[in-house]
Amino acid sequence: MNVIPQISKPASAEPIEGSSRLFTALAVGAIVLVNLFTFRHSFGGYFLADDFVHVDYLYHAIDQNFMPLLANFWGNWMQAQGTTFYRPLISLSLALDYLISGPNPLTFHISNWLYQTVASCLMFLVAGQIGEHFRPNEKTLNRSLALSAGLIFSVYPLHCEVVNWVIARVDSIALVFCLLSFWLYLKSAHSKNSLHYKLSLFAFVLGLMSKEMAVTLPPTLLLIQLLSTTTAETKSAKGRLLSSLNQTKPFWLILFAYLLFRLLVLGTISGGYEGSVGQGLSNSLAKRWLDGSLLRILFPFNIDVFGSKHSLSLQLKIVYLTMLVNFTAALVLAKSRSTAVRGLLFAAGWLVLSLLPTYQVWNLTPALQGSRFIYYGTAPIALIFAWLLFPTEARNWPVLSSLRLAAAGWFSIILLIITTGNNQPWNHAMKEMSLFRKAVTEQALALQPEHKLALLNVPHTYRGAHMLYNAATMSVLLSKPLTPEAIYSKVISFEPATFGDPDLINISRWRNKTEHTSSYRWDRTTMTIEPIVFAGENNNVKLSGLDLSEQTKFISPELSLNAQAPDYVDVLLENEQIKQWPEAVITLTALAPSSLQCQFSLPLSKASADGHLRFDVSEHKQWLALGQINQLTLSIQGLSQQQQLHILGLETGNLEGQRPKIESDEKTLVEDGDGISRPRGKMPSFNYDASIVPGAVSAYVEVSKPNSWFEHYSGSFRATSKSPEALFSHTLGKLKGNGVPITFTGVKGPGFYQMRMAALDQDGNVIGYFSDPLNFQL
C-alpha cells in the first residue's frame, strides 16, 4: 500500500527550495550568520550544573570501552537513579565531542551552536514546505514566510538556556531530527519520492532516541494532513481522519513500538523525575502553568536583566498588534480565506501538541529558567508569527508587501536585542563557574595535607542560569578530568544531595565536620574564596522590651555572637496582637563586622502558642557565612501607621537536648564528602541516641521513600511532627543503640534515602524536634 502523503499541486508549482537554489543558499547563509552573531559569546564559556556529571560519565565510560554508552540503548539513560529517560543519542553526541578534545568546553559549545543553527535552517525549510503544502501557487509569499520563520527562530529569546548549557542540547538535537523528519515527509508529498519518506521515518526514530518530545511528531503530521487541501475536500469527517491516518500510519506504528519498548525497559511509557522531586512537581503543576509563565512566551524578558518593565515590551505589543491587523486585513481583502485560516490553525495546533509532553516539568520562571521546555515549541511559535505576517499574497497592494517585510525585520531586531540581554547571565555564570573551580582548587592545595576545606555559598544559579545544583556536580567539578589534580577529597560539601534549597544546611553535620577544618565562603562580588572567621561569644542573647510603637525598625546594641552558637532567634510577641495582625511580617536582619548581612522574614501567623516567632537561623548557610554577628535588627511590614506592635523581647538559643542524634557507624556505613553515607560492608549500620532528650521513653525512626527528602516537603530540617510521606516508621524500645543494621527498616534499594529520629513521650508524642537526617544511598 502506498502511504506517501498526497498533496494536490499544479504541475507548474514546485517546492520553494527547488525553485531557486540561490535564494535557499543565501537564506541559509543569512541564518547561519545571524546565529553566529547572536550566540558568539557562548564559545568562550564553561560547563554548568549537570554538564559536570555528563563529562565525568564520559570520562569513566570511555575507560570502560564505551560499554555504559551502549547500555543507554537498552536501559535508563546513564543508568541513573531517580529519573526514567531514554536518550542514548545525546550521550553519543557528547562522547563525540569528548573524543575530539577531551573535557575542553569549546568543542561542546561549538556543537551546541551547530545544533541550534541546523534547527534554524531546518525551520526555514520546513516553513517553506508548509507554505507549499497549503498554497502551492504562492512562491514569493512562501519564500517570505520561510525566511521570516527561520530568522525569528534563530533569535528567539527563549533559546539561551539550550544554546549555552551543554546538556540542554537534548532539546535542540531532538528538534533537529523532528524538523528533518517533518521536512522530508513534506518533500516526499511533493516529489513522490519514497526515499524521502523512508528517510523521514529514520529521522523520527533518531528523534525518539534523543528526547521524549519527539512523540508529538505523528499527531503533528496527522494534523497537517487533516487540514491539507486534498484531505479537506473529502466530505466525510470519518473519511478525512482515515485518509490522514493512512498517510501517517508508519509513524504511529513506530511510536507504539517505542512506547512498548519504554514500558518493558523502563517500566513506564512517560519520562520524568521520581521521588520527592517528582511529587513536588506534581503538587505544583497548576501553579507553574498559571503563574504568568505562558505570557512569558510572548514577552520573553529575563526579569533579572530587564526588570519588571521595559520599553521593548511596548514595542513587542505594537508588533503583535500589527500582525493581528495584518492578518485580519488579509482575510477581509483575500478572495479565499480558507488557506490562511487553515495554515494558522495548523501552527496553533502544532504549538499545543509541543506543550503537552512538558505538563509535569513545565516551569518557565521570571528569570526564564526552564526555557528549554519551550524550545521545541518555539518552532510552531516562529511559524505562527511568520504566518500572521505573510498570510496571503498582496499583489495589488505593493505598499502592504513592503510593510510586512519591514515589520518582520523590526520584529527580528527586537528579538535579537532581547536575546542579547538574556544571554548575559549565562555568559557570566560560565565565567564565574570557571573562576570558582580554579579558586577552590588553589585554596585546597594550599592547605596542610591533614586539613580539609569546608565551603559555603557555592554558586547555585545566576539570574536564571544554572551553575552548581548539588554535591554530585560539585564532586565531579573538583575531580578528574575537569580538575587535573583531583582535590574533592580535601573539600567538604554541604550542598543538597540531588536537588533542594541551596541555603539549607544540616547544622549537626556542619558542627561535626568543621571542628578540624578551614571554613571558607565563595564571594560572588569579588569572585574569590574568602575565609569565614568564627569569632565572638557562644552565650545566648536576651533583649527585652523592644517597643516598635514609634518606629518600624529595631536595632540591637552592639553584639559579639558566634554564628555557629545559636540554633534559633525567637521574637517574643503578645498573643492578642498575633491574632489581630496574623499577616503582618517581621524581618530579621543579621550584620557581620565585614558588612555582610542576611535576612529572614516570617508572618506573625507562624508564631507558636506561647507567642514565640522562631527564626531557625542555624539551618541557613547565609547565617553561618557571616562568622560573627555584631548586630540584629527587626523591621515590620504590613501594618499601618496607626497600628502599633509591641515586641516583648528577642532571644537566641540552641536545641541541645531537644532532639536525638543519629549517624552512620563509619565502619559499615561511611559518609563521603558529599554528605551521603554509603555501605562498606554487608550489614550497613547506624548509631543513635535519644536519651539526651529529657522525658523520652522511646525512639521513633522514619525512613523516606526512595530518592525523597523530608525537607522537600516541609522546607526545613526542623520537624516537630511525624511525616505522612515516610516509607517506613518504627518505634524502638531502647533510647540508645550502636551498630543497628539499616536492613531492619525493610529498605532494599536502590536509591537515595533519609533516616531521621524523634524522642517520644509515654503517650507516643514527639518531644522537641526530629534529629537532623542521616542520608544514605543503596
Side-chain angles (χ1 to χ4, degrees), residues 393-525:
E393 189 61 82
R395 296 186 183 88
N396 299 324
W397 300 83
V399 176
L400 181 58
S401 297
S402 300
L403 289 175
R404 286 175 173 176
L405 292 173
W410 179 25
F411 185 43
S412 298
I413 291 172
I414 293 173
L415 295 179
L416 175 60
I417 295 172
I418 299 172
T419 301
T420 300
N422 290 347
N423 265 325
Q424 290 175 6
W426 292 93
N427 298 330
H428 175 98
M430 290 188 286
K431 177 183 178 181
E432 183 179 356
M433 199 73 267
S434 179
L435 292 173
F436 173 80
R437 187 202 65 79
K438 181 180 179 182
V440 174
T441 300
E442 291 176 352
Q443 189 62 58
L445 292 176
L447 296 176
Q448 295 296 322
E450 67 276 9
H451 283 191
K452 292 191 176 184
L453 187 153
L455 189 59
L456 294 181
N457 286 4
V458 171
H460 181 70
T461 61
Y462 179 78
R463 294 185 173 185
H466 313 278
M467 295 184 71
L468 272 178
Y469 276 154
N470 49 40
T473 52
M474 178 93 162
S475 66
V476 295
L477 170 66
L478 301 176
S479 303
K480 292 182 179 180
L482 292 168
T483 301
E485 186 172 352
I487 51 92
Y488 186 66
S489 60
K490 295 180 66 66
V491 176
I492 303 176
S493 170
F494 297 91
E495 304 312 301
T498 52
F499 299 99
D501 184 346
D503 189 46
L504 280 181
I505 185 170
N506 181 330
I507 188 61
S508 299
R509 180 169 176 264
W510 169 269
R511 288 168 177 158
N512 290 337
K513 294 293 182 181
T514 58
E515 187 175 354
H516 302 292
T517 61
S518 302
S519 301
Y520 291 85
R521 63 176 177 85
W522 174 248
D523 190 315
R524 304 200 68 177
T525 302

Side-chain angles (χ1 to χ4, degrees), residues 9 142 317:
K9 176 171 67 69
N142 291 334
K317 292 177 182 178

